Amino acid sequence: MNLSPYDSEDFPEIRAGVRRLCAEFPGEYWRRLDEKREYPTAFVKALTDAGYLSVLIPEEYGGSGLGLTAAAAILETIQAEGCNGGACHAQMYTMGTILRHGSEEQKRAYLPKIATGELRLQAFGVTEPTSGTDTTALRTTAVRDGDHYVVNGQKIWTSRAEHSDLMLLLARTTPRDQAAKKTEGLSTFIVDMKQALADGSLTIRPIRTMMNHATTEVFFDNMRIPAANLLGDEGKGFRYILSGMNAERTLIAAECVGDAKWFTRKSVEYAGERHVFGRAIGKNQGVSFPIARAYANMRAAELMVHEAARLYEAGKPNGAEANMAKLLAADASVEAGNACIQTHGGFGFAEEYDVERKFRETRLYQVAPISTNLILSFLAEHVLGLPRSY
């Protein structure tokens, strides 16, 4: 089968290294974690030690100094090998916010330790119960008090908060009715979560979901953040987060492409091995055509991922491309997953085949970090110029 032959892909050496690492974490490892709802500590440590999670950090701060295309290649390969990068992908897309908007002092204080794994930057505190994806409506406040900001509020769907040392937090520093525009008055901070937990000003509550995603809700009760931890200018945080979200969309789209490749490979293998009525089931068009269509749609999504990453690296606007990549790749991975389950029949629901686990994991990206419907709304209004939908 010819699924983007490895010798013709971008970053072949990096991909080969990731595949070797992933081979040490087979399906049994992920099923065991899934059963107990445990965080893949050993897997994340292996990725960190190999330098894959610091790929976006400049060499002067201890990283590889590569671009978003390299990060996308890493995450895609992790998923294509049957592993799950959701346990650590946030470190890559939150990194851009610090790199683009952090001060030199902040970069030198945090980036080298993140590169070595001494610190984990895995938590991204944006979404709230009452605002959802309407980020400008968030209610968590950060009030200046001398050399600190005092934070009160709540975030939800803050994944990996229990396994992170640092959080990138978006909070309101100017009341919404006093801000010149609804996108202003929001500020971005680096939060020392361990210190806040020790102070008792931060509470983390796990949320059990249909997949092992280590997501939580977090509560801030007079949490004090040093003013030195403010990223960029006060009140401009929405713009800073927005640029990071485009990287997030692109990288998660790459993961979905990897999932689709895994599903398609499994489908092809099983369709060739499984014999019914004296012949391989793959000889039936009812089996082969859905697999072929899913493969074609994956390749189309893959091209959009590459375009979104190219524009991001060039410093050009890529909001439309990043969102389209996320939309197309999330659809392609679910389509490939459906074809894989259908091809396997009842065995597609058996844990030992890993198909049902991977399907639950990839189904998340129809909803998170932004739903496909909201992407369509964005494209209709901001790209096509159609009236705003309600």
Side-chain angles (χ1 to χ4, degrees):
M1 184 180 66
N2 186 8
L3 285 185
S4 295
Y6 291 136
D7 58 2
S8 67
E9 290 180 329
D10 54 348
F11 304 101
E13 293 183 0
I14 289 178
R15 290 176 183 270
V18 174
R19 286 195 295 274
R20 287 192 297 270
L21 186 153
C22 288
E24 301 296 320
F25 299 90
E28 293 87 346
Y29 172 80
W30 297 99
R31 290 196 294 272
R32 185 169 63 251
L33 294 175
D34 202 43
E35 181 179 354
K36 298 179 179 179
R37 286 296 196 269
E38 292 181 352
Y39 185 77
T41 301
F43 178 69
V44 174
K45 184 179 186 304
L47 287 174
T48 302
D49 292 346
Y52 294 124
L53 296 187
S54 60
V55 67
L56 295 177
I57 297 177
E59 291 183 84
E60 62 186 296
Y61 303 115
S64 303
L66 299 178
L68 200 67
T69 52
I74 290 168
L75 291 177
E76 179 203 306
T77 306
I78 288 172
Q79 302 301 117
E81 293 302 305
C83 297
N84 186 3
C88 49
H89 59 197
Q91 184 158 304
M92 290 187 174
Y93 58 72
T94 54
M95 194 63 58
T97 305
I98 295 179
L99 290 174
R100 290 189 172 195
H101 308 292
S103 67
E104 183 61 28
E105 291 77 14
Q106 289 169 335
K107 293 176 185 178
R108 294 199 178 279
Y110 295 109
L111 296 183
K113 293 181 179 180
I114 293 172
T116 62
E118 183 178 346
L119 290 176
R120 280 185 188 166
L121 174 60
Q122 289 293 335
F124 194 32
V126 176
T127 305
E128 297 184 2
T130 58
S131 62
T133 51
D134 184 5
T135 304
T136 60
L138 63 81
R139 297 180 180 179
T140 297
T141 59
V143 179
R144 185 69 181 260
D145 180 25
D147 293 333
H148 288 77
Y149 285 86
V150 180
V151 178
N152 286 281
Q154 176 186 0
K155 299 292 182 180
I156 198 168
W157 309 122
T158 306
S159 300
R160 300 161 298 274
E162 294 179 290
H163 309 282
S164 184
D165 300 298
L166 305 173
M167 172 193 289
L168 198 64
L169 173 68
L170 186 66
R172 182 162 290 284
T173 45
T174 301
R176 189 175 184 182
D177 59 0
Q178 297 178 23
K181 294 189 293 186
K182 67 177 184 178
T183 56
E184 296 184 358
L186 299 169
S187 301
T188 308
F189 301 89
I190 301 173
V191 178
D192 183 337
M193 298 180 68
K194 300 302 182 186
Q195 183 63 54
L197 286 168
D199 293 342
S201 59
L202 173 64
T203 303
I204 302 174
R205 295 180 184 173
I207 301 174
R208 287 184 64 90
T209 62
M210 66 186 291
M211 76 290 295
N212 184 22
H213 199 63
T215 198
T216 69
E217 55 182 338
V218 295
F219 300 85
F220 311 106
D221 183 14
N222 292 321
M223 182 179 72
R224 297 183 68 83
I225 304 175
N229 286 25
L230 172 70
L231 276 175
D233 297 324
E234 182 181 300
K236 304 298 182 182
F238 180 78
R239 178 166 57 87
Y240 302 158
I241 291 293
L242 199 62
S243 65
M245 285 180 174
N246 289 334
E248 175 191 54
R249 309 268 194 275
T250 305
L251 291 176
I252 288 179
E255 290 185 290
C256 290
V257 167
D259 282 338
K261 289 184 177 183
W262 186 90
F263 285 125
T264 301
R265 185 173 70 249
K266 290 294 182 181
S267 295
V268 170
E269 291 173 353
Y270 191 80
E273 296 169 356
R274 175 70 167 167
H275 284 68
V276 178
F277 301 121
R279 64 178 187 176
I281 62 172
K283 289 187 176 182
N284 300 306
Q285 292 179 352
V287 174
S288 64
F289 280 15
I291 300 172
R293 182 173 292 278
Y295 172 73
N297 288 336
M298 176 275 291
R299 291 306 303 272
E302 187 177 32
L303 291 174
M304 184 56 72
V305 172
H306 291 167
E307 177 65 3
R310 183 189 68 81
L311 291 172
Y312 184 89
E313 289 182 343
K316 298 179 180 179
N318 77 329
E321 290 76 13
N323 277 282
M324 286 188 288
K326 164 66 169 56
L327 171 74
L328 296 173
D331 284 349
S333 66
V334 168
E335 180 185 10
N338 277 324
C340 192
I341 291 174
Q342 200 70 18
T343 301
H344 283 76
F347 291 111
F349 298 90
E351 289 183 352
E352 65 181 287
Y353 283 77
D354 290 310
V355 176
E356 61 86 27
R357 170 180 65 83
K358 288 285 283 184
F359 184 80
R360 285 186 285 113
E361 291 171 357
T362 208
R363 180 60 179 80
L364 170 67
Y365 298 122
Q366 288 285 317
V367 176
I370 186 172
S371 76
T372 51
N373 283 341
L374 282 172
I375 291 177
L376 292 172
S377 178
F378 169 83
L379 294 174
E381 179 182 353
H382 297 286
V383 177
L384 301 178
L386 291 167
R388 184 173 185 177
S389 58
Y390 294 94

